[in-house]
Amino acid sequence: MKRALFFVHYNPQNLVSNYIYYMLKELKPFFDKVIFISNSLIDQKQIQEIYKYANKVIQRPNRGFDFGAWKDALIDFGFSNLVEYDSITLMNDTCFGPFFSLRKILDKMENLNIDFWGLTKHKETKNGMPGNNGPVHEHIQSYFMTFNRNVVLSDYFNKFWSNVEYFIDVNKVIQNYETQFTRYLSQSGFKWDVFIDLKDINFINNNNLHPNLLTWHPDILIKLCTPFIKIKSFIIFENPYYLIDLIKKNYNYPIELIYDYFNDVYVSNISFKIQNKNIIVRNNISKIKPYFKIALHYHAFYIEITKEFLFLIKNY
């Protein structure tokens, strides 16, 4: 199989976090061509690092979000050039992973009699659509979608991307593209499937599950041998420390990549849910500004340790 990967990156701090480099390194052996599209303004040093794992780097404004980025990258690559590949994969950076080799997934999914596939799906619901709470069609979740050559070379595929608009509201992207793409191709006669399906869960009452298993029930997915976990799920899940422990128990994934990302990108009231927030102060700051004020907010559950805590702070 000759494969191409179109990978979309976005970071509000204009950083390429270490989990991205790890992900690209693990994915690269399975793709003959890797196109890295950044919707952030990353610096030249980071771009050079990315070129260790990608054949091309595209930088663009974050207009249209990931679907806008995929559209621009496909146009830049040339739809006619896609004929050289057996499949193309569209992926974004909204997950940590992979927790194991992609070989296991490819061996399963590429031997099925289907036209396109993903890793997980969102269940059909009567309401819950972001932005308008309308119905949601069953669909492959867009962080990882693979399309075989017959789909990619079809007029349906080309027509879909030609009609993609550069929405400034992410809910419009979800409403018009993420939740519609699977249905659109399915109605066009193409067959699809996912690596992990709800039918695989025989140890829990499915009626109690949120239709978005990926975001709301990451603990179940980890037990079902998922290759990726949504970054957002660490914020939503009631006990992210439990998720960390599950990953440590089930996979050989460098947990410090998760810690580093939250420490670098999120403010303290978010990052502390994952780990203690570490604020790095430059050693020469006293030379720059000899007198400066620091505000410290300390929340104590056990009042008796306050004296000890203040003593430690004084030493700093």
Side-chain angles (χ1 to χ4, degrees):
M1 293 287 286
K2 191 175 181 181
R3 313 179 188 91
L5 171 65
F6 292 80
F7 185 95
V8 174
H9 161 266
Y10 173 73
N11 186 294
Q13 308 296 336
N14 293 322
L15 299 171
V16 180
S17 297
N18 287 331
Y19 86 91
I20 297 291
Y21 296 128
Y22 178 88
M23 186 181 296
L24 292 173
K25 179 182 177 182
E26 295 298 306
L27 295 174
K28 179 178 171 57
F30 301 100
F31 295 93
D32 299 271
K33 184 78 72 173
V34 177
I35 310 298
F36 184 92
I37 315 109
S38 180
N39 287 352
S40 301
L41 189 62
I42 57 178
D43 62 34
Q44 194 60 36
K45 183 178 179 181
Q46 295 175 106
I47 291 174
Q48 288 303 117
E49 186 69 20
I50 292 166
Y51 267 117
K52 293 179 180 179
Y53 316 108
N55 302 94
K56 185 171 184 178
V57 176
I58 299 173
Q59 282 194 278
R60 62 185 297 280
N62 190 27
R63 64 187 194 115
F65 303 92
D66 48 1
F67 275 84
W70 284 322
K71 175 180 180 176
D72 285 354
L74 288 168
I75 291 173
D76 178 81
F77 190 80
F79 281 89
S80 60
N81 293 325
L82 296 175
V83 69
E84 300 177 18
Y85 298 89
D86 297 297
S87 71
I88 70 163
T89 295
L90 306 182
M91 188 176 176
N92 63 35
D93 66 349
T94 58
C95 295
F96 294 118
F99 299 139
F100 53 85
S101 172
L102 206 64
R103 171 56 56 198
K104 178 178 180 179
I105 300 165
L106 296 174
D107 286 346
K108 175 183 177 180
M109 303 309 295
E110 290 181 346
N111 286 295
L112 298 178
N113 184 29
I114 53 176
D115 303 299
F116 66 105
W117 55 273
L119 299 177
T120 54
K121 70 179 180 181
H122 191 294
K123 188 179 178 182
E124 183 177 9
T125 61
K126 295 181 180 179
N127 51 52
M129 177 71 76
N132 59 22
N133 200 35
V136 179
H137 299 296
E138 182 182 55
H139 64 275
I140 294 173
Q141 292 176 292
S142 63
Y143 67 99
F144 192 107
M145 303 180 292
T146 295
F147 308 89
N148 292 344
R149 179 188 288 165
N150 63 319
V151 177
V152 174
L153 299 183
S154 70
D155 291 336
Y156 302 106
F157 190 81
N158 196 305
K159 181 180 178 181
F160 175 87
W161 292 106
S162 297
N163 292 328
V164 166
E165 298 180 39
Y166 300 103
F167 290 118
I168 59 174
D169 181 358
V170 68
N171 289 330
K172 292 290 185 182
V173 176
I174 297 171
Q175 293 166 13
N176 290 276
Y177 306 135
E178 181 175 346
T179 60
Q180 302 297 326
F181 199 14
T182 302
R183 182 169 178 258
Y184 167 76
L185 290 177
S186 180
Q187 290 180 339
S188 302
F190 298 109
K191 295 185 292 184
W192 64 279
D193 206 342
V194 290
F195 181 66
I196 298 178
D197 201 349
L198 285 173
K199 66 178 182 291
D200 297 322
I201 306 172
N202 54 17
F203 55 87
I204 192 167
N205 183 355
N206 289 349
N207 294 327
N208 294 330
L209 296 179
H210 191 281
N212 184 354
L213 193 73
L214 177 67
T215 300
W216 291 91
H217 301 288
D219 54 327
I220 294 176
L221 284 181
I222 292 173
K223 295 172 184 176
L224 289 175
C225 200
T226 180
F228 298 98
I229 285 294
K230 200 78 168 175
I231 292 174
K232 187 189 299 184
S233 66
F234 282 87
I235 300 172
I236 294 175
F237 194 72
E238 61 181 355
N239 185 1
Y241 290 101
Y242 175 62
L243 298 182
I244 294 290
D245 287 341
L246 279 180
I247 294 172
K248 287 180 178 179
K249 180 180 178 180
N250 290 278
Y251 309 110
N252 187 28
Y253 182 77
I255 296 298
E256 62 271 13
L257 298 178
I258 299 175
Y259 293 150
D260 290 346
Y261 174 77
F262 280 100
N263 195 56
D264 290 342
V265 174
Y266 284 88
V267 295
S268 300
N269 62 330
I270 297 296
S271 64
F272 90 93
K273 297 178 181 179
I274 314 300
Q275 64 161 166
N276 291 328
K277 179 72 173 180
N278 298 316
I279 302 174
I280 308 303
V281 180
R282 290 175 297 176
N283 292 330
N284 62 347
I285 194 169
S286 59
K287 298 177 183 178
I288 299 171
K289 196 171 184 180
Y291 300 103
F292 55 93
K293 296 179 179 180
I294 295 176
L296 177 67
H297 179 94
Y298 169 59
H299 179 87
F301 187 84
Y302 298 105
I303 302 300
E304 59 269 24
I305 70 167
T306 300
K307 183 177 180 180
E308 179 184 352
F309 180 81
L310 292 176
F311 177 78
L312 292 172
I313 290 297
K314 184 179 179 181
N315 290 337
Y316 280 102

